[in-house]
Amino acid sequence: SSAASDVYKRQVPETVIRLTRDGIAVEGARAGSRCLVADISGRTVADRRFDGSTSVGPLVPGTYIVTVNDRETLKITVR
């Protein structure tokens, strides 16, 4: 039913990946999440497990690929 799906949507947080002043923040992920940050050449810059939110930085200016739980992937440029 529609009411059941509305409750489900509220209980499952949406993962947000955003830039911070000197790095990247990940928020709203489930407990036991994994964040993998790689530079544009594919070299791993950070690989960490976290509950809910984490931040990676400071990062040197450049383009990074951020992957959360092997699903959400975003290309981010740090200036």
Side-chain angles (χ1 to χ4, degrees), residues 15-71:
T15 302
V16 175
I17 302 168
R18 65 179 177 82
L19 285 171
T20 62
R21 189 170 63 79
D22 61 353
I24 298 163
V26 180
E27 300 167 340
R30 70 181 193 282
S33 290
R34 179 181 182 205
C35 176
L36 180 66
V37 180
D39 65 16
I40 200 68
S41 66
R43 187 186 57 186
T44 299
V45 176
D47 184 358
R48 57 182 63 155
R49 298 273 179 192
F50 66 100
D51 295 332
S53 64
T54 190
S55 60
V56 177
L59 294 171
V60 298
T63 301
Y64 297 88
I65 307 299
V66 183
T67 305
V68 178
N69 296 325
D70 299 320
R71 288 188 326 204

